Amino acid sequence: MIRTPVVTYRKIDKNYNLYRFDDKQIDGVTLYTAPQVGYTGQPDCYLIGKTVQILEVYPTNMSGQRVVRFKYNDEGFTMYEAALDRKV
């Protein structure tokens, strides 16, 4: 997986699923899983309109779609870049 380290700030603009990367070591190889942990419009962690710090950007196998990894309130999350507005 090719990732691009980025440190920038973006505002969450749309309701999208949130995922959390879990890395696991199996026979010395790191595997990544990303279980869904909620969504940006979820009432208990409403993130729409919040500015978040983007840490990394990952390509996907879908044309034009990228995944971003970000931190909010000291928790790491991942979601599709399409949920974000323009760069702040």
Side-chain angles (χ1 to χ4, degrees), residues 14-76:
K14 298 178 186 92
N15 191 15
Y16 267 72
N17 292 338
L18 289 173
Y19 303 91
R20 182 170 291 124
F21 266 129
D22 295 326
D23 52 339
K24 299 176 182 183
Q25 286 277 327
I26 298 177
D27 294 331
V29 175
T30 302
L31 301 175
Y32 294 96
T33 61
Q36 183 179 350
V37 294
Y39 52 95
T40 59
Q42 193 168 320
D44 63 342
C45 70
Y46 195 79
L47 296 175
I48 297 173
K50 305 282 185 185
T51 299
V52 296
Q53 181 182 14
I54 304 299
L55 303 173
E56 294 174 318
V57 178
Y58 297 85
T60 67
N61 58 357
M62 296 184 304
S63 179
Q65 287 281 7
R66 297 191 309 174
V67 172
V68 295
R69 196 171 193 176
F70 69 95
K71 248 187 173 173
Y72 186 76
N73 286 344
D74 294 326
E75 287 190 78

